[in-house]
Amino acid sequence: QSTLRQVLENTENTQRQYNLRNQAVALGWSTEQLRVIDSDLGKSGAERDRDGFQQLITDVSLGRAGIVMGLEVSRLARNSMDWHRLLELCALSETLILDEEGLYDPAHFNDRLLLGMKGTLSEAELHILRARLQGGARHKARRGELKLPLPVGLVYDAHDRPILDPDQQVQKAIRLVFETFARTGSAGAIVRWFRRHGLHFPRRLRHGVRKGEVVWGVLGHGRVLQVLHNPRYAGAFVFGRTRTRPTLDGRVRIQHLPRDQWQVLLTENHPGYISWETFETNQRILLDNAQARGADRQSAPGEGPALLQGLVLCGRCGDRMTVRYTQVGRQLTPQYVCQRRGIETAQAICQFIPGAAIDQAVGRLLLETLSPVQIEVTLAVQREVQNRLAEADALRWQQVERARYEADLAQRYFLRVDPDNRFVAATLEATWNEKLRMLQEAQRDYERHRQQDSQVLGESTEQAIRALASDVPKLWQDPRTSHRDRKRLVRLLLEDVTLLKETPLTVHIRFKGGATHTLKLPRPLSAWQLRQTPQSVIDMIDSLLNELTDRQVAHQLNTQGVKSGSGQAFTARIVAKIRRRYGLKNRYDRLRQAGKLTPQEIAKELDIDITTLKLWRQAGRLQAHVYNDKGECLYEPLGADRPVKYAWQRAQRQRAGTHL
C-alpha cells in the first residue's frame, strides 16, 4: 500500500497480500522458511528510503532467498533503477519471482524480459497518474480556483474564496509590517521595531491537534522575509513558484524559481493588504538589500552617517566594500573597507579608505547635478513613461470589456428563463448581480489606474519639479534631515561608487541610467594622522614654553578653546607628550640655554646655604624663574648689584640697637 490511508481503508487488499504465505506453503516451503516483509506498508514504491526493500535486496544478494512473492511484484519498486537491480540480483542468486499471473526465473531471458516490461509499465503508470493529478491541479490553478494553503491574515470564505482575516488584530499586525517596511526599507528594522515596542506577530499552526489555530509569538527576520516575499498579500494567485528535485540521498530539494518561470500568476485575484505595484517595489528593495549576491549586493540604508553605505565597490578586486565607524570626539567617522576576501583567505584586507572626505565630495556633486538641465531631462523621461502607461491603459480597458461581456451574457440568460421557475430564476439573477458588481469594480479600478498612471504633466507640476533644484540643497543641509533620508536620496540617483586608493584618490561615480563621473581627491589621512596635533598648535606650544610650564601651557590653551588632535582638552601630561614627540625643548633647557643658574650654582657663588637662598628669593633679593610644575626655579646670574652676605641682617640689628 502506497499511503497510510490505503492501509487503513483497503484492508481486503492487505489481507490478500498476507495470504500469500499459504500459497508459499502449498508450493513446498515450510512455515519456518517464510519471511514476511511489511515494514514498507504506507510508503510508495517510488520512494528510495525504504527499509523493507533494502532488507529484501540484502537477503537476495546473500543467497538467503529462494523466491520473492507478491500480488504485483512490479509494485516492489516504482522506478527502473531499483527494479532492474532486484532482477539482476535474483538472476545471480537463482531466486525465483512469483505473482498472481505466474512464476518467473530472472535467469531466463524471456522471463527477465517480461519482468522488465512489467516494471517499465508500472513506472509509466505512476507517471500517468501523477500527470493526471498535476494536470487537473494546473488547469484549476489557471482559473485561480485551486485551493492552496493561505498565509496568516488570509482565510477562505464559505465559497472557498480568499478574504482578509476577520480578526482585526491579525490584520493590524500584518499591515504594520508593510507600513514599517515602507518607512525603513529594511526587514531587520521591522524586527527591531517590533521588539523595541514589545509587539508579537501571528502564526497559523499547520499540524497537530491545534491545526488551524492562530498563535502569537516573537517576530523573526525569516518570518518578515516570508511575509514580504509572499504575493498572496498583494492579492495575487500564484502557482508553481517552486520546483522539487530528488537527491541521491533520497531527500527532496526545493528550488525557488524566478518570476518568469512561475506557471500561474494572476494579479488582483482576491483582496490583499498591499497593491501589486507596492509588492514589486518591495521586491526591488529586498533585492538591493540581499545578503547573498556577492559583488552586486547592496545593503539597506542604516542609521549611520556613511552616505555611500552599500554602494561602494573596490577598484582593485571589484568586491563590495563594507563600512566601519571610528569615534572621533563625539562624532562617528565612516571607513570603507574591502575585507571579504581577506576574511575568507586570512590575508590582509584589500583597501581601507577613510570616507568622510569622500562623502562630502559626492554630496557636493549630487547637489550640483540637480540643476535645471537635469530637471528638464527628468521631465522628458517622465513624458516617455506616460506613453508606456498609455499602452498599459489599453490592456486594462480590455479587461473592462470582458467583464461587460460576461455581465451582458448573464443578463441574457436571466431574461430567457421562465419567471415561474423561481429557483432557477433566483440563481441566474444572483449570477447577474455578481457579474454587474464585478463590472463596476473593473470600471473603478480602470478609472483609478487611469488617474494615477495616465495623468499628463501640467504646467504647475513641471514648475514644482523645477523648484526641486533649489529645494534639495536646503533639504540636504537641514540638520533635521536624518542620515537614512540622505542615503535614500542618494540611492535614487546613484548606481554605485568605485574607490581606488592611490595618489590622488580616484572616485568613479555611476549614476542611474549609465552616466559616469570621476573625482580626484587628495589621499585621505590615516587614523593616526587624523588624530595628529595640528602644526599651528605645536607652534603655539613651542612659543608658550618660553614663559610657561607644561601645566600653565595647558591652562592657556584650554582658555583659548584649543583642542588636541583627538578632540580632548589639554593637560600637563598631553603637553609633555607633544613636547617629547616633536622634540621641543622643555622650559628647563630653555632657561639654561639663556644662562640661568641652578640653586646650587648661585648658592655657591654667594656662599650661602639653600635655605637662605630660598629666603632671599621670597624676599625679592634674587630673581628666579619657575621651570616645572613642582615650583622649582632657576636664577638670574649675579650682576654688579649682587646682594652682600648678611648685609640685610646687620641693618636690621643696627636699627634694633644690637651689634654683632
Side-chain angles (χ1 to χ4, degrees):
Q1 307 289 4
S2 299
T3 63
L4 293 177
R5 183 175 180 179
Q6 292 178 356
V7 175
L8 295 176
E9 296 179 355
N10 301 342
T11 56
E12 189 65 27
N13 196 19
T14 305
Q15 187 63 33
R16 290 176 57 206
Q17 295 174 6
Y18 281 110
N19 287 337
L20 289 174
R21 291 177 295 185
N22 300 330
Q23 189 173 356
V25 173
L27 292 176
W29 275 273
S30 63
T31 305
E32 293 77 9
Q33 293 177 299
L34 299 181
R35 186 168 186 177
V36 178
I37 300 177
D38 55 2
S39 59
D40 290 341
L41 277 176
K43 294 185 178 180
S44 172
E47 297 183 18
R48 297 183 181 275
D49 186 15
R50 293 183 295 148
D51 297 335
F53 183 77
Q54 297 299 330
Q55 180 183 350
L56 173 63
I57 291 293
T58 301
D59 291 342
V60 171
S61 61
L62 295 177
R64 299 174 181 172
I67 187 172
V68 177
M69 305 177 66
L71 294 181
E72 298 177 22
V73 291
S74 60
R75 295 286 300 275
L76 291 174
R78 286 276 191 165
N79 60 81
S80 297
M81 182 178 67
D82 290 345
W83 176 242
H84 287 281
R85 181 176 58 169
L86 176 61
L87 295 182
E88 182 70 23
L89 293 175
C90 288
L92 294 176
S93 62
E94 298 182 352
T95 302
L96 303 178
I97 295 179
L98 181 143
D99 62 10
E100 287 187 327
E101 298 179 354
L103 181 66
Y104 310 94
D105 185 359
H108 293 170
F109 174 76
N110 291 334
D111 290 354
R112 186 170 179 177
L113 178 62
L114 180 59
L115 291 174
M117 293 179 62
K118 283 190 173 185
T120 303
L121 293 175
S122 178
E123 186 176 15
E125 178 188 6
L126 184 64
H127 171 75
I128 294 173
L129 292 175
R130 186 182 293 111
R132 288 177 180 175
L133 295 175
Q134 293 180 349
R138 283 193 296 267
H139 182 70
K140 198 171 185 178
R142 293 188 185 99
R143 303 194 308 269
E145 299 176 359
L146 183 62
K147 191 174 181 180
L148 299 174
L150 293 175
V152 64
L154 295 171
V155 295
Y156 285 106
D157 62 5
H159 302 284
D160 289 339
R161 290 175 299 189
I163 60 173
L164 300 183
D165 195 316
D167 191 333
Q168 293 296 323
Q169 186 180 8
V170 174
Q171 289 191 26
K172 186 175 181 180
I174 296 176
R175 294 186 190 278
L176 189 58
V177 169
F178 290 107
E179 293 172 359
T180 308
F181 185 77
R183 185 176 66 255
T184 62
S186 170
I190 298 175
V191 178
R192 291 190 294 271
W193 198 90
F194 267 71
R195 182 175 294 275
R196 183 166 60 250
H197 292 81
L199 300 177
H200 291 81
F201 194 79
R203 178 173 59 91
R204 190 178 302 278
L205 300 178
R206 300 294 184 184
H207 308 282
V209 295
R210 300 172 59 190
K211 180 180 179 181
E213 183 179 343
V214 175
V215 296
W216 295 78
V218 178
L219 180 61
H221 186 267
R223 184 64 175 157
V224 172
L225 292 179
Q226 290 178 1
V227 173
L228 296 176
H229 283 299
N230 198 328
R232 299 305 296 261
Y233 288 111
F237 177 85
V238 178
F239 181 77
R241 296 175 60 196
T242 59
R243 177 189 299 159
T244 57
R245 288 288 184 270
T247 59
L248 295 177
D249 56 358
R251 300 180 181 180
V252 176
R253 179 171 59 90
I254 300 178
Q255 177 185 3
H256 292 271
L257 301 178
R259 185 182 302 178
D260 56 355
Q261 297 183 20
W262 292 356
Q263 298 183 26
V264 179
L265 173 59
L266 302 176
T267 59
E268 300 182 0
N269 179 263
H270 57 79
Y273 288 87
I274 58 175
S275 64
W276 182 254
E277 292 77 10
T278 304
F279 174 79
E280 291 186 323
T281 301
N282 293 345
Q283 301 312 298
R284 288 192 294 268
I285 296 175
L286 291 172
L287 187 63
D288 291 338
N289 299 347
Q291 298 292 326
R293 297 180 57 222
D296 296 332
R297 179 181 63 83
Q298 294 182 358
S299 57
E303 299 292 346
L307 184 65
L308 305 178
Q309 174 221 340
L311 299 178
V312 182
L313 301 177
C314 179
R316 292 181 180 175
C317 64
D319 286 344
R320 194 166 295 276
M321 302 179 72
T322 57
V323 179
R324 291 182 184 175
Y325 290 104
T326 57
Q327 188 80 24
V328 179
R330 296 184 178 181
Q331 295 182 350
L332 290 177
T333 302
Q335 315 283 340
Y336 296 113
V337 187
C338 180
Q339 58 182 356
R340 178 184 175 188
R341 299 189 182 183
I343 294 176
E344 293 178 353
T345 59
Q347 298 178 1
I349 61 176
C350 186
Q351 288 192 115
F352 182 92
I353 305 176
I358 300 173
D359 290 352
Q360 296 175 2
V362 173
R364 289 193 298 267
L365 176 63
L366 293 180
L367 296 179
E368 296 172 358
T369 303
L370 291 175
S371 63
V373 176
Q374 274 72 26
I375 296 298
E376 292 296 335
V377 174
T378 303
L379 293 174
V381 174
Q382 180 69 18
R383 297 187 186 98
E384 180 65 22
V385 171
Q386 294 294 329
N387 295 333
R388 297 292 181 265
L389 293 177
E391 299 177 359
D393 179 75
L395 295 177
R396 285 193 292 266
W397 178 251
Q398 293 179 0
Q399 297 179 357
V400 176
E401 290 295 331
R402 181 179 297 275
R404 180 177 289 109
Y405 167 76
E406 293 179 354
D408 293 341
L409 184 62
Q411 180 186 14
R412 290 196 296 269
Y413 286 157
F414 174 73
L415 295 176
R416 292 175 184 175
V417 71
D418 185 1
D420 295 333
N421 193 349
R422 296 182 179 180
F423 297 104
V424 177
T427 302
L428 294 178
E429 184 181 8
T431 303
W432 183 21
N433 292 333
E434 179 68 17
K435 296 298 182 181
L436 289 176
R437 185 187 62 80
M438 295 175 61
L439 174 60
Q440 293 176 357
E441 291 182 356
Q443 290 176 339
R444 285 197 300 267
D445 291 342
Y446 171 76
E447 293 298 333
R448 177 171 56 85
H449 285 94
R450 187 176 184 180
Q451 293 177 1
Q452 294 177 354
D453 300 339
S454 301
Q455 180 180 2
V456 180
L457 289 175
E459 183 178 355
S460 59
T461 307
E462 293 186 3
Q463 292 178 356
I465 294 178
R466 291 188 179 95
L468 183 65
S470 59
D471 293 340
V472 170
K474 297 179 182 178
L475 178 64
W476 186 273
Q477 298 171 2
D478 192 341
R480 293 173 297 179
T481 303
S482 64
H483 297 303
R484 181 187 294 273
D485 293 335
R486 290 191 180 93
K487 295 181 191 180
R488 298 181 72 174
L489 179 60
V490 168
R491 288 164 180 262
L492 295 176
L493 301 175
L494 298 186
E495 187 69 32
D496 53 50
V497 177
T498 303
L499 302 182
L500 184 59
K501 191 175 183 180
E502 52 186 15
T503 305
L505 177 65
T506 304
V507 182
H508 297 289
I509 303 171
R510 187 158 63 103
F511 291 87
K512 297 285 188 181
T516 60
H517 189 87
T518 301
L519 296 177
K520 296 291 185 178
L521 303 177
R523 187 163 180 172
L525 301 177
S526 59
W528 69 269
Q529 291 174 325
L530 292 173
R531 300 169 65 90
Q532 193 174 18
T533 305
Q535 185 62 39
S536 59
V537 177
I538 297 174
D539 296 338
M540 185 181 299
I541 293 175
D542 188 20
S543 176
L544 292 174
L545 284 173
N546 292 327
E547 303 294 336
L548 305 174
T549 64
D550 291 347
R551 181 177 294 133
Q552 293 170 340
V553 170
H555 177 72
Q556 184 68 22
L557 293 175
N558 294 333
T559 302
Q560 299 180 14
V562 181
K563 298 295 182 181
S564 65
S566 59
Q568 300 177 357
F570 279 94
T571 62
R573 183 177 180 181
I574 294 178
V575 173
K577 185 177 180 180
I578 293 175
R579 177 168 46 77
R580 291 190 295 268
R581 173 67 178 80
Y582 293 97
L584 304 180
K585 292 182 179 179
N586 56 26
R587 179 158 172 73
Y588 178 87
D589 294 337
R590 295 169 189 260
L591 293 175
R592 291 292 289 174
Q593 187 176 1
K596 305 303 186 285
L597 303 177
T598 64
Q600 292 77 12
E601 293 174 343
I602 196 168
K604 182 179 180 181
E605 187 173 348
L606 292 174
D607 191 19
I608 60 176
D609 56 21
I610 298 299
T611 302
T612 304
L613 180 67
K614 293 180 179 180
L615 293 175
W616 285 14
R617 176 172 63 83
Q618 294 174 359
R621 302 188 65 191
L622 295 175
Q623 186 176 0
H625 302 276
V626 179
Y627 66 83
N628 62 17
D629 296 326
K630 298 178 181 180
E632 298 176 341
C633 303
L634 293 180
Y635 295 85
E636 287 283 347
L638 299 175
D641 55 347
R642 56 190 299 171
V644 180
K645 184 177 181 180
Y646 304 128
W648 180 76
Q649 291 89 335
R650 286 197 298 269
Q652 291 292 332
R653 291 173 180 174
Q654 289 175 358
R655 283 193 290 270
T658 304
H659 301 278
L660 293 175

